[in-house]
Amino acid sequence: NPVSYEEFNSTYEGMKQQLVQNNPVITIDEAIAEQYRTQAWNSLIEAKTIQPQYEQLGISVSPAELEDLTVGANTHPQIQQSFRDPKSNQFDKQRLIQFLKQDINDNPQARESWTTFQEQFTTGLIAEKYQNLVSNSYYITDLDARNRSKELDQTINASIVSISYAQLSDSNISD
């Protein structure tokens, strides 16, 4: 599926808007803009090429799993980072719960920001599951490991002689 300019630009502008919303004092210089252009492009490519593979394989994040990684016993470090107590720098679960119960209902921007974060977070979790599936499906035998180790430990001495192309006359070359 081709990526239209409008689709790319919409994705890029949405990412920039999210950045500014989360960091109101940020100045978007050319380096940051380039980083977000690359991120937008990669996101679109993944959506058109890799995400259909996730769906074919049935890889997903269930609502119960998402709840556990948010307010459950296994709050994801990325979420913990966003809800730290400014004084103690420790994760404040009550602050997270208040945000989810009240703040996102009182503030439409906070709700939109959370929805966007949750979509990106879920996409990241699915990609992580896919990576684990692929990496755990690769197996190397003990024999292969020993042979590879021997190859890496070998030292080869060689002498190389080269002749410059310009030193050969055309008459010495035959078909």
Side-chain angles (χ1 to χ4, degrees), residues 14-127:
M15 287 180 168
K16 275 192 350 186
Q17 182 182 8
Q18 184 74 25
L19 173 67
V20 170
Q21 186 176 345
N22 292 338
N23 305 288
V25 296
I26 195 165
T27 301
I28 298 179
D29 60 12
E30 186 54 36
I32 291 173
E34 181 59 32
Q35 176 185 351
Y36 276 80
R37 279 191 290 270
T38 301
Q39 188 176 344
W41 179 253
N42 290 341
S43 173
L44 287 167
I45 295 301
E46 182 174 328
K48 292 185 179 282
T49 59
I50 300 172
Q51 284 180 0
Q53 297 298 316
Y54 301 157
E55 292 168 15
Q56 275 187 336
L57 293 169
I59 300 173
S60 64
V61 175
S62 71
E65 185 178 7
L66 191 57
E67 182 180 335
D68 184 47
L69 292 169
T70 306
V71 293
N74 299 304
T75 302
H76 194 276
Q78 188 176 352
I79 294 173
Q80 288 184 19
Q81 183 67 33
S82 298
F83 292 92
R84 292 193 180 276
D85 182 309
K87 294 177 184 170
S88 68
N89 202 28
Q90 297 297 312
F91 171 57
D92 185 351
K93 187 172 258 183
Q94 293 308 314
R95 190 167 159 232
L96 169 62
I97 292 170
Q98 178 191 338
F99 175 81
L100 294 173
K101 284 186 174 180
Q102 183 180 354
D103 296 355
I104 62 173
N105 293 320
D106 294 345
N107 182 344
Q109 283 184 326
R111 182 177 31 253
E112 184 180 328
S113 178
W114 179 256
T115 301
T116 302
F117 166 77
Q118 209 169 24
E119 288 169 2
Q120 293 170 349
F121 181 67
T122 302
T123 301
L125 291 174
I126 291 170

Side-chain angles (χ1 to χ4, degrees), residues 112-164:
E112 184 180 328
S113 178
W114 179 256
T115 301
T116 302
F117 166 77
Q118 209 169 24
E119 288 169 2
Q120 293 170 349
F121 181 67
T122 302
T123 301
L125 291 174
I126 291 170
E128 187 178 320
K129 286 182 177 188
Y130 181 78
Q131 288 283 102
N132 289 338
L133 178 70
V134 171
S135 65
N136 289 334
S137 67
Y138 180 76
Y139 176 75
I140 187 165
T141 66
D142 289 345
L143 179 61
D144 288 333
R146 282 193 303 273
N147 287 340
R148 179 70 177 142
S149 178
K150 286 179 186 175
E151 288 173 5
L152 293 174
D153 289 343
Q154 282 183 336
T155 303
I156 298 173
N157 293 322
S159 298
I160 299 174
V161 177
S162 70
I163 300 174
S164 170

